[in-house]
mmCIF file of all heavy atoms in Angstrom:
data_model
loop_
_atom_site.group_PDB
_atom_site.id
_atom_site.type_symbol
_atom_site.label_atom_id
_atom_site.label_comp_id
_atom_site.label_asym_id
_atom_site.label_seq_id
_atom_site.Cartn_x
_atom_site.Cartn_y
_atom_site.Cartn_z
ATOM 1 N N GLY A 1 176.574 241.621 119.344
ATOM 2 C CA GLY A 1 177.557 241.312 118.287
ATOM 3 C C GLY A 1 177.607 242.325 117.218
ATOM 4 O O GLY A 1 178.129 242.009 116.096
ATOM 5 N N TYR A 2 177.077 243.522 117.370
ATOM 6 C CA TYR A 2 177.170 244.631 116.422
ATOM 7 C C TYR A 2 176.551 244.211 115.017
ATOM 8 O O TYR A 2 175.439 243.990 114.962
ATOM 9 C CB TYR A 2 178.440 245.171 116.311
ATOM 10 C CG TYR A 2 179.026 245.766 117.573
ATOM 11 C CD1 TYR A 2 180.221 245.363 118.191
ATOM 12 C CD2 TYR A 2 178.274 246.675 118.302
ATOM 13 C CE1 TYR A 2 180.697 245.861 119.474
ATOM 14 C CE2 TYR A 2 178.746 247.295 119.487
ATOM 15 C CZ TYR A 2 179.862 246.872 120.105
ATOM 16 O OH TYR A 2 180.370 247.417 121.167
ATOM 17 N N LEU A 3 177.384 243.988 114.158
ATOM 18 C CA LEU A 3 176.891 243.476 112.745
ATOM 19 C C LEU A 3 176.097 242.229 112.769
ATOM 20 O O LEU A 3 175.276 241.986 111.902
ATOM 21 C CB LEU A 3 178.093 243.439 111.819
ATOM 22 C CG LEU A 3 178.704 244.780 111.389
ATOM 23 C CD1 LEU A 3 179.879 244.510 110.438
ATOM 24 C CD2 LEU A 3 177.725 245.700 110.834
ATOM 25 N N SER A 4 176.451 241.343 113.693
ATOM 26 C CA SER A 4 175.645 240.075 113.834
ATOM 27 C C SER A 4 174.410 240.155 114.657
ATOM 28 O O SER A 4 173.818 239.134 114.933
ATOM 29 C CB SER A 4 176.613 239.020 114.353
ATOM 30 O OG SER A 4 177.112 239.319 115.615
ATOM 31 N N ASN A 5 174.129 241.352 115.147
ATOM 32 C CA ASN A 5 173.010 241.337 116.034
ATOM 33 C C ASN A 5 171.704 240.772 115.437
ATOM 34 O O ASN A 5 170.959 240.106 116.078
ATOM 35 C CB ASN A 5 172.650 242.910 116.468
ATOM 36 C CG ASN A 5 173.544 243.336 117.550
ATOM 37 O OD1 ASN A 5 174.181 242.484 118.270
ATOM 38 N ND2 ASN A 5 173.646 244.520 117.855
ATOM 39 N N PRO A 6 171.386 241.107 114.044
ATOM 40 C CA PRO A 6 170.171 240.436 113.524
ATOM 41 C C PRO A 6 170.179 239.039 113.661
ATOM 42 O O PRO A 6 169.072 238.356 113.886
ATOM 43 C CB PRO A 6 170.233 240.968 112.051
ATOM 44 C CG PRO A 6 170.949 242.269 112.112
ATOM 45 C CD PRO A 6 172.105 242.057 113.075
ATOM 46 N N HIS A 7 171.306 238.315 113.400
ATOM 47 C CA HIS A 7 171.362 236.908 113.532
ATOM 48 C C HIS A 7 171.061 236.442 114.945
ATOM 49 O O HIS A 7 170.448 235.468 115.215
ATOM 50 C CB HIS A 7 172.756 236.384 113.035
ATOM 51 C CG HIS A 7 173.099 236.725 111.631
ATOM 52 N ND1 HIS A 7 172.524 236.088 110.515
ATOM 53 C CD2 HIS A 7 173.818 237.641 111.161
ATOM 54 C CE1 HIS A 7 173.008 236.581 109.452
ATOM 55 N NE2 HIS A 7 173.803 237.547 109.789
ATOM 56 N N LEU A 8 171.661 237.239 115.882
ATOM 57 C CA LEU A 8 171.479 236.838 117.380
ATOM 58 C C LEU A 8 170.005 237.029 117.700
ATOM 59 O O LEU A 8 169.584 236.318 118.575
ATOM 60 C CB LEU A 8 172.367 237.729 118.217
ATOM 61 C CG LEU A 8 173.886 237.468 117.886
ATOM 62 C CD1 LEU A 8 174.754 238.486 118.709
ATOM 63 C CD2 LEU A 8 174.329 236.048 118.498
ATOM 64 N N LEU A 9 169.368 238.175 117.274
ATOM 65 C CA LEU A 9 167.946 238.308 117.559
ATOM 66 C C LEU A 9 167.139 237.089 117.007
ATOM 67 O O LEU A 9 166.272 236.515 117.823
ATOM 68 C CB LEU A 9 167.430 239.431 116.853
ATOM 69 C CG LEU A 9 167.829 240.906 117.518
ATOM 70 C CD1 LEU A 9 167.691 242.010 116.449
ATOM 71 C CD2 LEU A 9 167.117 241.031 118.776
ATOM 72 N N GLY A 10 167.476 236.695 115.926
ATOM 73 C CA GLY A 10 166.738 235.401 115.380
ATOM 74 C C GLY A 10 166.983 234.189 116.206
ATOM 75 O O GLY A 10 166.287 233.329 116.423
ATOM 76 N N GLY A 11 168.273 234.015 116.633
ATOM 77 C CA GLY A 11 168.748 232.892 117.381
ATOM 78 C C GLY A 11 168.025 232.803 118.757
ATOM 79 O O GLY A 11 167.698 231.747 119.259
ATOM 80 N N ILE A 12 167.929 234.017 119.403
ATOM 81 C CA ILE A 12 167.237 234.066 120.626
ATOM 82 C C ILE A 12 165.757 233.580 120.468
ATOM 83 O O ILE A 12 165.135 232.795 121.353
ATOM 84 C CB ILE A 12 167.200 235.483 121.415
ATOM 85 C CG1 ILE A 12 168.600 235.968 121.693
ATOM 86 C CG2 ILE A 12 166.265 235.591 122.496
ATOM 87 C CD1 ILE A 12 169.269 235.095 122.849
ATOM 88 N N GLU A 13 165.104 234.022 119.418
ATOM 89 C CA GLU A 13 163.761 233.578 119.126
ATOM 90 C C GLU A 13 163.646 232.090 118.859
ATOM 91 O O GLU A 13 162.750 231.438 119.246
ATOM 92 C CB GLU A 13 163.273 234.321 117.962
ATOM 93 C CG GLU A 13 162.828 235.824 118.210
ATOM 94 C CD GLU A 13 161.823 236.025 119.319
ATOM 95 O OE1 GLU A 13 160.756 235.235 119.208
ATOM 96 O OE2 GLU A 13 162.031 236.804 120.220
ATOM 97 N N ALA A 14 164.738 231.560 118.267
ATOM 98 C CA ALA A 14 164.749 230.193 117.888
ATOM 99 C C ALA A 14 164.917 229.186 119.132
ATOM 100 O O ALA A 14 164.490 228.136 119.157
ATOM 101 C CB ALA A 14 165.865 229.867 116.842
ATOM 102 N N VAL A 15 165.586 229.711 120.232
ATOM 103 C CA VAL A 15 165.867 228.828 121.432
ATOM 104 C C VAL A 15 164.959 229.191 122.550
ATOM 105 O O VAL A 15 164.996 228.483 123.566
ATOM 106 C CB VAL A 15 167.435 228.971 121.811
ATOM 107 C CG1 VAL A 15 168.301 228.737 120.712
ATOM 108 C CG2 VAL A 15 167.718 230.356 122.350
ATOM 109 N N LYS A 16 164.172 230.190 122.553
ATOM 110 C CA LYS A 16 163.538 230.667 123.718
ATOM 111 C C LYS A 16 162.516 229.435 124.061
ATOM 112 O O LYS A 16 162.144 229.551 125.307
ATOM 113 C CB LYS A 16 162.722 231.962 123.507
ATOM 114 C CG LYS A 16 161.684 231.897 122.447
ATOM 115 C CD LYS A 16 161.105 233.307 122.015
ATOM 116 C CE LYS A 16 160.340 233.898 123.268
ATOM 117 N NZ LYS A 16 159.673 235.270 122.803
ATOM 118 N N HIS A 17 162.002 228.802 123.139
ATOM 119 C CA HIS A 17 161.008 227.629 123.543
ATOM 120 C C HIS A 17 161.703 226.537 124.390
ATOM 121 O O HIS A 17 160.961 225.906 125.156
ATOM 122 C CB HIS A 17 160.380 227.061 122.387
ATOM 123 C CG HIS A 17 161.359 226.206 121.518
ATOM 124 N ND1 HIS A 17 162.356 226.683 120.703
ATOM 125 C CD2 HIS A 17 161.506 224.794 121.599
ATOM 126 C CE1 HIS A 17 163.035 225.658 120.214
ATOM 127 N NE2 HIS A 17 162.508 224.485 120.696
ATOM 128 N N LEU A 18 162.993 226.543 124.359
ATOM 129 C CA LEU A 18 163.738 225.599 125.300
ATOM 130 C C LEU A 18 163.885 226.190 126.669
ATOM 131 O O LEU A 18 164.147 225.383 127.537
ATOM 132 C CB LEU A 18 165.204 225.395 124.653
ATOM 133 C CG LEU A 18 165.163 224.761 123.190
ATOM 134 C CD1 LEU A 18 166.693 224.771 122.687
ATOM 135 C CD2 LEU A 18 164.480 223.426 123.210
ATOM 136 N N VAL A 19 163.556 227.374 126.801
ATOM 137 C CA VAL A 19 163.768 227.986 128.223
ATOM 138 C C VAL A 19 162.446 228.257 128.916
ATOM 139 O O VAL A 19 162.402 228.150 130.084
ATOM 140 C CB VAL A 19 164.526 229.344 127.975
ATOM 141 C CG1 VAL A 19 164.621 230.196 129.302
ATOM 142 C CG2 VAL A 19 165.876 229.158 127.346
ATOM 143 N N ILE A 20 161.356 228.665 128.094
ATOM 144 C CA ILE A 20 160.106 228.957 128.655
ATOM 145 C C ILE A 20 159.534 227.676 129.267
ATOM 146 O O ILE A 20 159.603 226.615 128.763
ATOM 147 C CB ILE A 20 159.229 229.477 127.613
ATOM 148 C CG1 ILE A 20 159.551 230.784 127.110
ATOM 149 C CG2 ILE A 20 157.764 229.540 128.186
ATOM 150 C CD1 ILE A 20 158.731 231.347 125.961
ATOM 151 N N GLY A 21 159.069 227.901 130.673
ATOM 152 C CA GLY A 21 158.571 226.807 131.419
ATOM 153 C C GLY A 21 159.580 226.128 132.326
ATOM 154 O O GLY A 21 159.165 225.439 133.207
ATOM 155 N N GLU A 22 160.874 226.527 132.205
ATOM 156 C CA GLU A 22 161.902 225.975 132.989
ATOM 157 C C GLU A 22 162.003 226.781 134.287
ATOM 158 O O GLU A 22 161.517 227.894 134.435
ATOM 159 C CB GLU A 22 163.254 226.019 132.336
ATOM 160 C CG GLU A 22 163.361 225.047 131.041
ATOM 161 C CD GLU A 22 163.284 223.602 131.377
ATOM 162 O OE1 GLU A 22 163.679 223.270 132.547
ATOM 163 O OE2 GLU A 22 162.805 222.874 130.527
ATOM 164 N N ASP A 23 162.674 226.094 135.336
ATOM 165 C CA ASP A 23 162.908 226.752 136.603
ATOM 166 C C ASP A 23 164.120 227.658 136.423
ATOM 167 O O ASP A 23 165.270 227.068 136.015
ATOM 168 C CB ASP A 23 163.097 225.617 137.700
ATOM 169 C CG ASP A 23 163.348 226.249 139.141
ATOM 170 O OD1 ASP A 23 163.711 227.487 139.176
ATOM 171 O OD2 ASP A 23 163.224 225.549 140.039
ATOM 172 N N PRO A 24 164.197 228.911 136.663
ATOM 173 C CA PRO A 24 165.285 229.655 136.317
ATOM 174 C C PRO A 24 166.510 229.316 137.233
ATOM 175 O O PRO A 24 167.627 229.893 137.047
ATOM 176 C CB PRO A 24 164.799 231.094 136.541
ATOM 177 C CG PRO A 24 163.640 231.033 137.389
ATOM 178 C CD PRO A 24 163.021 229.735 137.062
ATOM 179 N N ALA A 25 166.203 228.657 138.353
ATOM 180 C CA ALA A 25 167.429 228.222 139.243
ATOM 181 C C ALA A 25 168.264 227.238 138.589
ATOM 182 O O ALA A 25 169.436 227.252 138.923
ATOM 183 C CB ALA A 25 166.717 227.666 140.467
ATOM 184 N N ASN A 26 167.788 226.404 137.542
ATOM 185 C CA ASN A 26 168.672 225.491 136.989
ATOM 186 C C ASN A 26 169.505 225.981 135.881
ATOM 187 O O ASN A 26 169.380 225.717 134.633
ATOM 188 C CB ASN A 26 167.733 224.338 136.459
ATOM 189 C CG ASN A 26 166.958 223.781 137.462
ATOM 190 O OD1 ASN A 26 167.291 223.623 138.708
ATOM 191 N ND2 ASN A 26 165.656 223.336 137.198
ATOM 192 N N ILE A 27 170.385 226.874 136.211
ATOM 193 C CA ILE A 27 171.120 227.652 135.281
ATOM 194 C C ILE A 27 171.996 226.793 134.498
ATOM 195 O O ILE A 27 172.073 226.898 133.149
ATOM 196 C CB ILE A 27 172.133 228.726 135.992
ATOM 197 C CG1 ILE A 27 171.128 229.744 136.725
ATOM 198 C CG2 ILE A 27 172.966 229.383 135.069
ATOM 199 C CD1 ILE A 27 171.872 230.744 137.616
ATOM 200 N N GLU A 28 172.718 225.767 135.122
ATOM 201 C CA GLU A 28 173.682 224.924 134.408
ATOM 202 C C GLU A 28 172.823 223.883 133.508
ATOM 203 O O GLU A 28 173.258 223.657 132.353
ATOM 204 C CB GLU A 28 174.505 224.105 135.288
ATOM 205 C CG GLU A 28 175.463 223.088 134.758
ATOM 206 C CD GLU A 28 176.514 223.814 133.756
ATOM 207 O OE1 GLU A 28 176.742 225.051 134.191
ATOM 208 O OE2 GLU A 28 177.174 223.175 132.953
ATOM 209 N N GLU A 29 171.583 223.472 133.967
ATOM 210 C CA GLU A 29 170.871 222.490 133.084
ATOM 211 C C GLU A 29 170.351 223.264 131.789
ATOM 212 O O GLU A 29 170.388 222.627 130.786
ATOM 213 C CB GLU A 29 169.701 222.001 133.887
ATOM 214 C CG GLU A 29 168.773 221.099 133.148
ATOM 215 C CD GLU A 29 167.574 220.669 133.992
ATOM 216 O OE1 GLU A 29 167.380 221.276 135.034
ATOM 217 O OE2 GLU A 29 166.768 219.845 133.468
ATOM 218 N N ILE A 30 169.934 224.524 132.049
ATOM 219 C CA ILE A 30 169.625 225.244 130.785
ATOM 220 C C ILE A 30 170.640 225.498 129.858
ATOM 221 O O ILE A 30 170.517 225.358 128.600
ATOM 222 C CB ILE A 30 168.878 226.608 131.278
ATOM 223 C CG1 ILE A 30 167.555 226.293 132.036
ATOM 224 C CG2 ILE A 30 168.464 227.508 130.067
ATOM 225 C CD1 ILE A 30 166.963 227.464 132.619
ATOM 226 N N TRP A 31 171.777 225.882 130.430
ATOM 227 C CA TRP A 31 173.070 226.016 129.604
ATOM 228 C C TRP A 31 173.352 224.778 128.797
ATOM 229 O O TRP A 31 173.535 224.889 127.407
ATOM 230 C CB TRP A 31 174.284 226.478 130.449
ATOM 231 C CG TRP A 31 175.323 227.028 129.612
ATOM 232 C CD1 TRP A 31 175.671 228.381 129.647
ATOM 233 C CD2 TRP A 31 176.428 226.254 128.966
ATOM 234 N NE1 TRP A 31 176.905 228.465 128.917
ATOM 235 C CE2 TRP A 31 177.216 227.256 128.479
ATOM 236 C CE3 TRP A 31 176.651 225.007 128.767
ATOM 237 C CZ2 TRP A 31 178.362 226.976 127.647
ATOM 238 C CZ3 TRP A 31 177.640 224.592 127.887
ATOM 239 C CH2 TRP A 31 178.548 225.562 127.435
ATOM 240 N N GLN A 32 173.426 223.683 129.451
ATOM 241 C CA GLN A 32 173.763 222.425 128.724
ATOM 242 C C GLN A 32 172.627 222.044 127.691
ATOM 243 O O GLN A 32 172.947 221.543 126.590
ATOM 244 C CB GLN A 32 173.995 221.293 129.796
ATOM 245 C CG GLN A 32 175.099 221.507 130.810
ATOM 246 C CD GLN A 32 176.430 221.371 130.125
ATOM 247 O OE1 GLN A 32 176.590 220.788 128.985
ATOM 248 N NE2 GLN A 32 177.336 221.747 130.857
ATOM 249 N N LYS A 33 171.431 222.263 128.075
ATOM 250 C CA LYS A 33 170.347 221.930 127.210
ATOM 251 C C LYS A 33 170.431 222.487 125.851
ATOM 252 O O LYS A 33 170.393 221.987 124.702
ATOM 253 C CB LYS A 33 168.968 222.186 127.779
ATOM 254 C CG LYS A 33 167.766 221.831 126.972
ATOM 255 C CD LYS A 33 166.536 222.223 127.766
ATOM 256 C CE LYS A 33 165.203 221.914 127.036
ATOM 257 N NZ LYS A 33 164.023 222.305 127.818
ATOM 258 N N ILE A 34 170.653 223.945 125.731
ATOM 259 C CA ILE A 34 170.771 224.733 124.536
ATOM 260 C C ILE A 34 172.006 224.394 123.848
ATOM 261 O O ILE A 34 172.125 224.208 122.625
ATOM 262 C CB ILE A 34 170.763 226.153 124.921
ATOM 263 C CG1 ILE A 34 169.393 226.589 125.518
ATOM 264 C CG2 ILE A 34 170.890 227.025 123.603
ATOM 265 C CD1 ILE A 34 169.298 228.122 126.017
ATOM 266 N N PHE A 35 173.129 224.283 124.591
ATOM 267 C CA PHE A 35 174.442 223.874 124.000
ATOM 268 C C PHE A 35 174.485 222.599 123.196
ATOM 269 O O PHE A 35 174.797 222.604 122.042
ATOM 270 C CB PHE A 35 175.477 223.891 125.149
ATOM 271 C CG PHE A 35 176.911 223.689 124.517
ATOM 272 C CD1 PHE A 35 177.702 224.767 124.127
ATOM 273 C CD2 PHE A 35 177.416 222.339 124.556
ATOM 274 C CE1 PHE A 35 179.014 224.526 123.663
ATOM 275 C CE2 PHE A 35 178.730 222.258 124.072
ATOM 276 C CZ PHE A 35 179.467 223.309 123.650
ATOM 277 N N HIS A 36 173.922 221.587 123.821
ATOM 278 C CA HIS A 36 174.012 220.221 123.217
ATOM 279 C C HIS A 36 173.070 219.968 122.021
ATOM 280 O O HIS A 36 173.194 219.204 121.143
ATOM 281 C CB HIS A 36 173.926 219.157 124.254
ATOM 282 C CG HIS A 36 175.240 219.026 125.192
ATOM 283 N ND1 HIS A 36 176.395 218.727 124.671
ATOM 284 C CD2 HIS A 36 175.405 219.340 126.510
ATOM 285 C CE1 HIS A 36 177.258 218.713 125.635
ATOM 286 N NE2 HIS A 36 176.610 219.170 126.748
ATOM 287 N N LEU A 37 171.961 220.728 122.171
ATOM 288 C CA LEU A 37 170.904 220.584 121.083
ATOM 289 C C LEU A 37 171.313 221.276 119.857
ATOM 290 O O LEU A 37 170.759 221.124 118.807
ATOM 291 C CB LEU A 37 169.492 221.063 121.550
ATOM 292 C CG LEU A 37 168.736 220.191 122.564
ATOM 293 C CD1 LEU A 37 167.469 220.845 123.034
ATOM 294 C CD2 LEU A 37 168.468 218.801 121.894
ATOM 295 N N HIS A 38 172.339 222.317 119.970
ATOM 296 C CA HIS A 38 172.710 222.882 118.739
ATOM 297 C C HIS A 38 174.306 222.767 118.501
ATOM 298 O O HIS A 38 175.041 223.470 118.002
ATOM 299 C CB HIS A 38 172.448 224.421 118.959
ATOM 300 C CG HIS A 38 171.129 224.820 119.031
ATOM 301 N ND1 HIS A 38 170.396 224.681 120.255
ATOM 302 C CD2 HIS A 38 170.143 225.202 118.148
ATOM 303 C CE1 HIS A 38 169.130 224.918 120.101
ATOM 304 N NE2 HIS A 38 168.986 225.390 118.796
ATOM 305 N N SER A 39 174.666 221.426 118.866
ATOM 306 C CA SER A 39 176.101 221.081 118.609
ATOM 307 C C SER A 39 176.572 221.102 117.150
ATOM 308 O O SER A 39 177.843 221.161 116.960
ATOM 309 C CB SER A 39 176.380 219.774 119.273
ATOM 310 O OG SER A 39 175.701 218.741 118.607
ATOM 311 N N ASP A 40 175.639 221.163 116.373
ATOM 312 C CA ASP A 40 176.019 221.186 114.832
ATOM 313 C C ASP A 40 176.153 222.586 114.272
ATOM 314 O O ASP A 40 176.506 222.739 113.113
ATOM 315 C CB ASP A 40 175.062 220.347 114.079
ATOM 316 C CG ASP A 40 173.650 220.891 114.089
ATOM 317 O OD1 ASP A 40 173.284 221.562 115.145
ATOM 318 O OD2 ASP A 40 172.854 220.632 113.221
#
């Protein structure tokens, strides 16, 4: 995101706990999980 990279770095750290421990095969499930938990 160029100028927004610092925000994106913080964002990845904020959502990684939602991904760790998951089966990486469940690509759509992980996508939906992160998307709907941050709908605001």
Side-chain angles (χ1 to χ4, degrees):
Y2 299 126
L3 291 177
S4 61
N5 278 346
H7 300 285
L8 295 169
L9 285 167
I12 293 294
E13 288 298 314
V15 303
K16 65 188 290 184
H17 73 281
L18 300 173
V19 177
I20 293 175
E22 295 290 332
D23 182 346
N26 300 332
I27 299 174
E28 182 64 20
E29 180 182 8
I30 292 171
W31 195 101
Q32 295 289 345
K33 181 180 181 181
I34 300 174
F35 183 86
H36 290 294
L37 285 175
H38 296 85
S39 59
D40 59 335

